[in-house]
Each structure stands twice: as C-alpha cells, then as structure tokens.
Amino acid sequence: MTSIRTNISATAALATLRTIDGQMDRSQTEVSSGLRVNTAADNAAYWSIATTMRSDSKALSAARDALGIGAAMVDVTYEGMSTMVNLMSEFKAKLVLAKEPSADRDEINTELSQLQSQMRSVAYSASFNGQNWLAMTDDNWTGFVKDRTVPGYIVRNGEGFSVGTVKVLDAIDANLGGTAQMYPLVDDTGGAATGGMGILTNSGYSQELGTGTNWVILHTLGNPNPALGTEIKVSADTSADDIDDMISVTEAALSDVVRWTAKLGSAETRISMQQDFVSKLGDAIDSGVGRLVDADMEDASSRTKALQTQRQLAIQSLQIADSEPQTILSLFQ
C-alpha cells in the first residue's frame, strides 16, 4: 500500500542515515584525536584506568626531574670531595717534605697556606641550587642533621598514592672513627663546639691520636678559639715530632674524606640506576595506557571509508523513497 501521509520507506532510510552519521562522527573523532576511548562515554572502565595512569605518569615525570636535581647535587658534591682528596694528598706530601732537614720550611708553609685556602674555597664552592653539603655555616646547619634524600619513585597501592625517596647520605654523626656516618668538610658555625662537625676543622682526630697539640687542617671561622684546635703550620722551629703528628692527623682526616667520597660515588651509581628505571617505568606506563585507549589508525581509516560509502548509499535510498509519492500523481492525470 502506498500512502501520501506516511512514507515508511523514507522513514527507514532516514533512520539508517542517522545511524551511519552517528558512526561517522565517532569514527572521525577517533581519527582526529587518535583515541578510541576519548571520553568516559566511550568506555568508562578503560577511560578511568587511563586517566589514573596518566596522572601517575605525570607524577613520575616530576619525580624523575627531582631525581635529576638530586643527581646534580650529588655530582657537584662528589667533584668537591674528589678535589679535596687530591688537595689533602698534596698537603700530606708537603708535610712529609718538611721533615727533610734541608727543606725550606717557610716556603713549604706558604704552599701549605695556599692549599688550606684552596680547601676552604672548594668546600664553599661545591654548591648547587642554593645547597652546600661540604661547608656547614650558621645559615645551613639544619640540613646536616637530616638524612639527605631525593624523590625517586611513586607507589600506588590499596592505601593510595605515595612518593618514595632515595637516601643519599645519613644524618650527621658527631662521633669519630668507625661510627662516623656523615661530615661536612668545614664546620664554620658559631658556638662553643664550633668546628667539631667538619673533617678539616675537627680537633677530634688529634685527641684520638693523642698528639701533644690539637692540630686541625683548617681553623674554624665561626669561633676562632685556639682551644678548639691549632691550624697546621710549619716553621724552622717546628719539631719533627710535631710534623709527625700533623701527618698523622692529615692521614686520619684524609681517610674519612676518602670514605665519604666512596659513599657519594655509590650514591651516584644508585641514583643513575634509579633514573634509568624511572625512565623505563614511565615509558611502560605510557605504552600500557596506549594499548587501552589509542586508536588503530589503519582500522579507523578503513572504517571511515566504508561508512562514507554506506552514507552515500543511504542518501540514494532516501532519495528513492522520497520519490515514491510522486508516482501517485500519475494516477490522477
């Protein structure tokens, strides 16, 4: 039956065209965005997982940047300590030379003074981003009583999200010997106990060795009290025993500098390994998110072309259906 009021064929063709247009919109959005899951409406479960993991990936990227800053700080400190090992080795060699009866001790003392000035300069110059781990002053001493850590990784578990840290060095320990954990090179803070936390300014080495004078490689600037240590110097009147004591104190201090330099070297290696791991982890997360929500562009392209063809056919079908009522006019001619 043909009706001029209800064109069932046109209605069916129009419904088909609307369905194809909807599919075309989704397909074109997929092609233009590169995502098959672009909104929660596309796939709520995948969208939720992808959104959470993208957030974690950004946090991991920030942790990687922070780890890079920490690595730079460790690198600067390590270079300062390595330089100090060389300076102290040269310092010890000059003291050994001073034991030679024919040596010009005044000239040697001038060289020792130059080395001492360079040691303090190195300690104060080893700064990065406003931090210095080698020279302790009244302005930065609080940093030395805490563990030196840098953000290194993120953790998501049933209890939520947290940022983990990588410990570079332990908090300061005022004890000498095998229990010493961490020292600055120079302690120039004020107060009665000034100098005691710095390897170069600490008279504890002399006290442990039982030397007649409390020799220190550098006198502290915070409280230049002779009772806190006597800075190593040589002259024509310096006895051979005193020089031997100076060499022993320098050797003991150098041993701690070498030990701490080794710790920093180990920290450098660990941070480098952590950087590589965090970088690979970030790539793995991005790849996992891509598997969930990225569009298959070849499939999307083929589907779009097929839908374009279907749309053309649907339009032709609608045109044919719309032309059917025109045939009724011929019945009345």
Side-chain angles (χ1 to χ4, degrees):
M1 182 186 75
T2 301
S3 171
I4 62 172
R5 298 180 62 85
T6 303
N7 190 336
I8 297 175
S9 297
T11 300
L14 184 59
T16 300
L17 181 60
R18 285 173 178 167
T19 299
I20 294 173
D21 282 345
Q23 293 175 349
M24 278 285 293
D25 288 341
R26 287 192 294 273
S27 181
Q28 288 174 345
T29 298
E30 186 174 323
V31 170
S32 61
S33 67
L35 298 171
R36 66 185 177 92
V37 180
N38 196 31
T39 65
D42 297 329
N43 187 315
Y46 282 4
W47 178 86
S48 177
I49 294 172
T51 301
T52 299
M53 295 309 295
R54 285 195 189 105
S55 175
D56 287 358
S57 181
K58 290 181 180 179
L60 192 63
S61 178
R64 183 166 60 240
D65 293 341
L67 193 62
I69 294 175
M73 184 69 233
V74 172
D75 290 344
V76 168
T77 305
Y78 177 80
E79 288 302 321
M81 292 298 291
S82 296
T83 301
M84 193 62 64
V85 169
N86 294 331
L87 290 173
M88 293 181 70
S89 297
E90 184 68 19
F91 190 82
K92 184 176 71 172
K94 296 298 181 184
L95 289 174
V96 172
L97 180 61
K99 287 199 67 177
E100 173 62 37
S102 62
D104 186 345
R105 289 187 177 178
D106 290 336
E107 181 63 29
I108 291 174
N109 189 65
T110 299
E111 293 177 335
L112 291 176
S113 296
Q114 292 295 331
L115 289 170
Q116 287 166 324
S117 298
Q118 183 63 17
M119 288 177 190
R120 179 169 263 115
S121 176
V122 168
Y124 273 86
S125 298
S127 297
F128 182 83
N129 195 31
Q131 292 191 64
N132 187 310
W133 292 0
L134 299 184
M136 187 167 70
T137 65
D138 289 330
D139 295 330
N140 71 354
W141 69 270
T142 54
F144 289 90
V145 298
K146 302 175 183 177
D147 290 340
R148 300 290 187 176
T149 61
V150 293
Y153 56 92
I154 63 173
V155 177
R156 177 175 291 281
N157 51 35
E159 299 177 356
F161 177 88
S162 62
V163 179
T165 57
V166 175
K167 184 168 73 170
V168 178
L169 292 168
D170 297 322
I172 199 167
D173 187 339
N175 296 318
L176 284 173
T179 59
Q181 292 179 338
M182 172 186 173
Y183 279 92
L185 288 173
V186 175
D187 176 5
D188 281 337
T189 57
T194 186
M197 299 299 179
I199 293 176
L200 305 183
T201 56
N202 194 334
S203 62
Y205 295 103
S206 286
Q207 294 170 7
E208 282 205 343
L209 292 169
T211 61
T213 302
N214 287 337
W215 298 111
V216 293
I217 297 174
L218 291 178
H219 205 294
T220 179
L221 298 179
N223 182 12
N225 183 350
L228 299 175
T230 302
E231 190 170 84
I232 292 177
K233 295 184 182 301
V234 297
S235 67
D237 298 329
T238 305
S239 67
D241 289 340
D242 281 343
I243 295 178
D244 284 337
D245 288 344
M246 294 176 188
I247 294 172
S248 297
V249 168
T250 302
E251 178 63 30
L254 177 58
S255 178
D256 269 350
V257 173
V258 169
R259 180 164 54 83
W260 191 21
T261 304
K263 280 191 175 185
L264 287 168
S266 298
E268 270 192 318
T269 301
R270 180 182 178 186
I271 291 177
S272 178
M273 293 171 62
Q274 189 67 27
Q275 283 180 306
D276 291 342
F277 170 72
V278 170
S279 179
K280 292 178 181 178
L281 181 60
D283 292 343
I285 289 175
D286 292 340
S287 178
V289 170
R291 289 190 179 94
L292 290 178
V293 301
D294 286 357
D296 183 338
M297 298 306 293
E298 292 84 355
D299 178 71
S301 176
S302 299
R303 187 166 61 254
T304 299
K305 290 179 181 179
L307 288 170
Q308 288 173 343
T309 301
Q310 293 177 32
R311 188 174 187 276
Q312 291 173 353
L313 293 174
I315 291 173
Q316 291 179 1
S317 177
L318 180 61
Q319 291 174 343
I320 293 171
D322 285 340
S323 67
E324 286 183 359
Q326 300 296 323
T327 59
I328 297 177
L329 294 177
S330 64
L331 299 175
F332 296 94
Q333 291 177 354

